[in-house]
């Protein structure tokens, strides 16, 4: 008798065959989704195992079915450069873009992979060199996204006055909306046109927070032929990250909130003032930028004469530069300008390590027989330099009495510490004898650059005089210098000086800007070490 509450058996659908389930699992397990620009790669061992299994399967089924015809598929092997990590390849692109402004566009047209990397590397598009292709530069600014921009405006040739003015104004108008993203600004003008600074910087001047350069680090403004005496206050007087500045041919309001954090300054005075007034302006600039570590100072030559009572009493105290390590005093005229001799006595340089006294080399058709006439005034105006370790004297500064007096002013240490570099054709045997007569134990090494009138015999005689002994015949020689550097001295036969290495003098030679490998000194031609 059947149980009354017994549930009737329902017919359930049949399960999927095992073969179909295995096929679906295998399909989803082996599926790989890769970017379109990456070619599918198969390992050599996998291809061999796949081919072996295929042959085995076809051989087992050959009794029942005919073997189908397989088409051979060509395998594309990726280049070795595609094995580099994406970050490394992007960094290579960025380094290449530093020397060629069109490099980002070139690499983005090589292949799909490189284009993908280039478009997804915003730092590759940060450099903007303004010209007539403003639409292209606008697209590159868009590709840079939020990366700080490097703006450069440097026309290669002068134009008509009105066309030059309109061109500069149009270029700067394209990048002024992104002033808060400027990492560097470089403006260089060639030729002359009136009011070019007004065309370029009018949008950067004002009293609004929208023109503050919050990301600016480098500022380069160069216009040697400027005659506009207007004073400019840039970026609402606020650029907290500004660290480097190169200024020439423009009069700027030196606001502390703008320039107080500078560590590098290349300043060429605008020349609208001269003498004591120019010195007072420069001293105020240095007083504001007291954190400088490197300074290059140039006063243009105006032909004025020095006055004993010219400097105002407002700068009777010293301008203290505690971090300054490198100072370059450049003269581009026939003599030392009085503004420089007014400035030097008010400087305090306790940490100065390198001092460069340089000027332009004379033209080949002109031969200067004398140095600057007012070098004696420079000696009187020099401040104390207790930490000086490198002195570079070039061309118009080369006077034997000046160099000898300068060396005598330096402190007399227990160990030699000074590296003296002399550059120019004025350096001869007589010059070295007179200039180094008071060097004593201050001189550690001597560097000679483009000393075309100096011979090897004269140089050896100078070293013997400094050492107080004939080094060639001394049994225990103690040379006065520890190193000798020779760079591009045409009349000096450096091969005859190789014996100096046996007495303890380090010798290094450069020819054509490249260091000579002294291991092959006997060769007819100089050999250079492979970098």
């Amino acid at each position: 008798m059947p149980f009354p509450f017994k549930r009737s058996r329902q017919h359930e659908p049949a399960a999927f065959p095992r073969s179909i389930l295995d096929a679906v699992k295998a399909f989803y397990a082996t599926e790989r989704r890769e970017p379109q620009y990456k070619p599918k790669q198969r390992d050599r061992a996998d291809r061999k195992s796949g081919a072996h299994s295929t042959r085995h399967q076809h051989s087992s089924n050959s009794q029942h079915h005919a073997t189908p015809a397989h088409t051979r598929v060509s395998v594309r092997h990726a280049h070795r450069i595609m094995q580099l990590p994406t970050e490394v390849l992007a960094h290579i692109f960025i380094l290449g873009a530093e020397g060629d402004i069109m490099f980002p566009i070139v690499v983005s047209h090589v292949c799909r992979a490189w284009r993908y990397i280039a478009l997804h590397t915003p730092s590759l598009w940060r450099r903007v060199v303004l010209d007539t292709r403003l639409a292209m530069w606008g697209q590159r600014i868009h590709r840079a996204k939020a990366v700080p921009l490097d703006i450069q405006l440097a026309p290669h040739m002068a134009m008509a006055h009105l066309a030059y003015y309109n061109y500069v104004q149009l270029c700067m108008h394209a990048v002024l909306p992104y002033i808060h993203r400027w990492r560097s600004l470089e403006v260089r003008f060639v030729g002359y046109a009136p009011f070019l600074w007004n065309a370029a910087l009018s949008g950067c001047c004002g009293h609004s927070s929208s023109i503050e350069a919050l990301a600016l680090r480098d500022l380069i403004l160069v216009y040697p032929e400027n005659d506009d005496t207007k004073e400019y206050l840039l970026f609402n007087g606020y650029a907290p990250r500004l660290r480097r500045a190169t200024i020439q041919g423009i009069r700027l309001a030196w606001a502390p909130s703008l320039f107080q954090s500078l560590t590098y300054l290349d300043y060429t005075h605008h020349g609208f003032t001269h003498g004591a007034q120019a010195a007072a302006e420069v001293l105020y600039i240095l007083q504001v930028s007291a954190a400088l570590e490197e300074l290059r100072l140039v006063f243009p030559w105006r032909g004025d004469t020095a006055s004993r009572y010219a400097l105002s009493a407002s700068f009777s105290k010293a301008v203290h530069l505690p971090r300054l390590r490198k100072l370059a005093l450049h003269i581009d005229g026939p003599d030392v300008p009085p503004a420089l001799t007014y400035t030097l006595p008010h400087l305090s340089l306790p940490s100065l390590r390198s001092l460069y006294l340089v000027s332009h080399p004379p033209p080949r058709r002109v031969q200067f027989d004398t140095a600057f006439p007012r070098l004696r005034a420079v000696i009187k105006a020099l401040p104390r330099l207790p930490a000086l370790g490198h002195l570079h004297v070039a061309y118009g500064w080369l006077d034997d009495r000046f160099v000898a007096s300068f060396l005598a002013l330096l402190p007399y240490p227990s160990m030699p510490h000074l590296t003296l570099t002399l550059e120019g054709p004025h350096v001869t045997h007589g010059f070295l004898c007179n200039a180094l007569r008071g060097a004593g134990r201050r001189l550690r090494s001597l560097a000679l650059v483009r000393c075309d009138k100096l011979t090897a015999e004269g140089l050896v005689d100078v070293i013997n005089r400094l050492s107080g002994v004939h080094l060639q015949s001394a049994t225990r020689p103690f040379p006065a210098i520890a190193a000798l550097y020779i760079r591009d001295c045409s009349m000096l036969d450096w091969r005859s000086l190789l014996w100096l290495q046996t007495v303890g003098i380090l010798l290094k030679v450069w020819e054509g800007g490249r260091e000579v490998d002294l291991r092959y000194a006997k060769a007819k031609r100089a050999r250079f070490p492979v970098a």
Side-chain angles (χ1 to χ4, degrees), residues 265-281:
L265 176 60
D266 183 352
Y267 185 79
T268 301
H269 191 258
H270 45 72
F272 302 130
T273 58
H274 56 86
Q277 189 175 358
E281 293 177 358

Side-chain angles (χ1 to χ4, degrees), residues 286-361:
L286 299 180
Q287 190 176 29
V288 171
S289 304
L292 285 173
E293 298 178 2
E294 185 174 350
L295 172 64
R296 182 180 181 269
L297 190 59
V298 184
F299 286 99
W301 174 252
R302 291 292 180 263
D304 51 337
T305 57
S307 176
R308 182 180 300 178
Y309 307 104
L311 193 57
S312 61
S314 59
F315 285 97
S316 57
K317 63 179 181 179
V319 177
H320 191 56
L321 301 176
R323 300 181 182 179
L324 192 65
R325 300 289 188 273
K326 181 178 179 180
L327 173 62
L329 302 178
H330 189 94
I331 295 179
D332 56 358
D335 200 357
V336 180
L340 179 60
T341 58
Y342 296 152
T343 303
L344 290 178
H346 298 270
L347 298 180
S348 175
L349 311 172
S351 303
L352 187 67
R353 296 291 302 167
S354 301
L355 177 60
Y356 293 81
L357 306 176
V358 295
S359 64
H360 290 298

Side-chain angles (χ1 to χ4, degrees), residues 23-24 63 67 155 176 214 220 236 270 278 300 324 329 377 394 398 415 458 466 476 478 485:
V24 172
Q63 300 176 359
T67 305
L176 279 176
L214 302 178
I220 300 177
N236 194 25
H270 45 72
L324 192 65
L329 302 178
L398 288 173
M415 295 294 293
L466 289 176
R476 293 183 178 180
F478 294 97
Y485 308 107

Side-chain angles (χ1 to χ4, degrees), residues 44 52 59 62 108 146 169 196 210 226 280 291 293 296 379 483 509:
R44 185 175 180 181
H52 177 72
S59 61
S62 60
S108 64
Q169 195 173 34
L196 283 183
S210 61
N226 177 42
E293 298 178 2
R296 182 180 181 269
I379 287 293
V509 181

